[in-house]
Amino acid sequence: MSEVFEGYERQYCELSANLSQKCNSASLILDAEQKKQKFSEINSAIDEADVLIRKMDLEARSLQPGVKAALLAKLREYKADLNKLKREFKRISSPNANQAAHDELLESGMADAHSVSAEQRERLSMSVERLNQSSDRIKESRRTILETEELGVSILEDLHQQRQTLLHAHDKLYEVDNAIDKSKKVLTTMSRRITKNKWIVVSIIVALVVAIIVILYYKISHR
């Protein structure tokens, strides 16, 4: 379900219920100026309802086929409801509407002057029911958004923990790398010392050999 469509739908249901009440109250007004003002309000509200119907139609047609079909079916009900309101407004705004309202007041009495017809009550009940359904869908959408937000926060926390783990591993690798470098330096130093010691030993051996040769030569030459 499109949240944009639901927003338009909620506005239309509220406007439809308001229009129904205004049409009912306007039919009972006898003062010409008050009736004229009420008719102006109703006419503006009907124009606004037409705009909402067009917006819902455009939004519904922009959606996927499965969703679009359900929304267009619902939209046909709203169009039929709006046409009833237009007919009702046309009836109460006709030239004979004042006399009809006067006769209705005389017949029904002032006690039930604000009662509504069965059709108007049904329309109002349908509008309230649709408004409640829209509210339920909005609550469900909000619940889904909250759950998605909580899931997103949980994922971010997991990613943060993984990042900390990777940073810790990187630090450990850096320490190991430093230890390896130090070991290499120690081994290089030891290798140099061993090489140096080898040359020293070789030099000593060579010196001893030379000394032995000299001593032998000296002994042989003095016999």
Side-chain angles (χ1 to χ4, degrees):
M1 181 67 71
S2 169
E3 291 185 6
V4 176
F5 186 91
E6 288 180 354
Y8 293 149
E9 182 182 27
R10 185 175 66 258
Q11 294 178 43
Y12 175 79
C13 290
E14 293 174 353
L15 188 59
S16 176
N18 190 30
L19 268 171
S20 180
Q21 293 176 350
K22 285 184 177 181
C23 287
N24 180 64
S25 61
S27 65
L28 302 176
I29 296 176
L30 297 179
D31 183 77
E33 288 298 325
Q34 292 181 4
K35 185 179 286 290
K36 182 178 179 181
Q37 182 180 358
K38 182 64 69 173
F39 285 168
S40 177
E41 294 176 1
I42 294 173
N43 193 48
S44 298
I46 288 176
D47 291 340
E48 185 179 351
D50 275 325
V51 172
L52 288 172
I53 289 292
R54 287 195 296 272
K55 287 181 177 180
M56 283 191 286
D57 185 72
L58 290 173
E59 178 64 21
R61 294 182 186 280
S62 67
L63 300 175
Q64 297 296 327
V67 179
K68 179 172 70 174
L71 294 183
L72 289 177
K74 183 181 293 187
L75 187 59
R76 284 193 292 270
E77 295 180 5
Y78 293 149
K79 288 180 179 179
D81 177 71
L82 182 58
N83 287 332
K84 287 182 181 179
L85 289 171
K86 288 179 179 179
R87 288 194 297 270
E88 178 67 14
F89 175 61
K90 184 177 180 180
R91 183 185 67 80
I92 63 176
S93 60
S94 63
N96 297 326
N98 286 338
Q99 183 61 39
H102 184 265
D103 293 341
E104 182 180 351
L105 282 175
L106 291 178
E107 292 175 0
S108 61
M110 294 302 296
D112 55 356
H114 297 286
S115 62
V116 294
S117 66
E119 181 182 355
Q120 289 170 333
R121 284 198 302 270
E122 182 181 357
R123 186 187 301 120
L124 181 60
S125 177
M126 290 175 59
S127 298
V128 171
E129 182 180 356
R130 289 168 184 166
L131 183 59
N132 290 335
Q133 292 176 353
S134 298
S135 299
D136 291 339
R137 284 193 293 269
I138 291 172
K139 289 179 181 178
E140 181 66 20
S141 298
R142 287 178 178 173
R143 186 182 66 80
T144 303
I145 291 172
L146 289 175
E147 291 178 352
T148 304
E149 183 178 355
E150 290 176 357
L151 179 60
V153 170
S154 177
I155 292 173
L156 288 176
E157 290 177 351
D158 291 340
L159 290 175
H160 178 71
Q161 291 178 357
Q162 292 176 8
R163 181 176 180 273
Q164 294 298 322
T165 302
L166 291 174
L167 289 175
H168 182 68
H170 180 269
D171 292 339
K172 287 293 184 182
L173 288 174
Y174 181 75
E175 292 176 0
V176 171
D177 189 53
N178 286 338
I180 292 173
D181 288 340
K182 290 179 180 179
S183 300
K184 286 181 179 179
K185 290 179 181 179
V186 171
L187 291 173
T188 301
T189 303
M190 292 176 64
S191 177
R192 288 176 181 175
R193 287 180 180 177
I194 291 171
T195 302
K196 183 179 179 181
N197 291 336
K198 283 182 179 180
W199 281 109
I200 291 172
V201 171
V202 171
S203 299
I204 292 172
I205 293 172
V206 170
L208 289 173
V209 170
V210 171
I212 292 170
I213 292 172
V214 170
I215 291 171
L216 290 174
Y217 177 78
Y218 179 77
K219 286 183 176 182
I220 293 173
S221 62
H222 286 79
R223 283 182 177 180

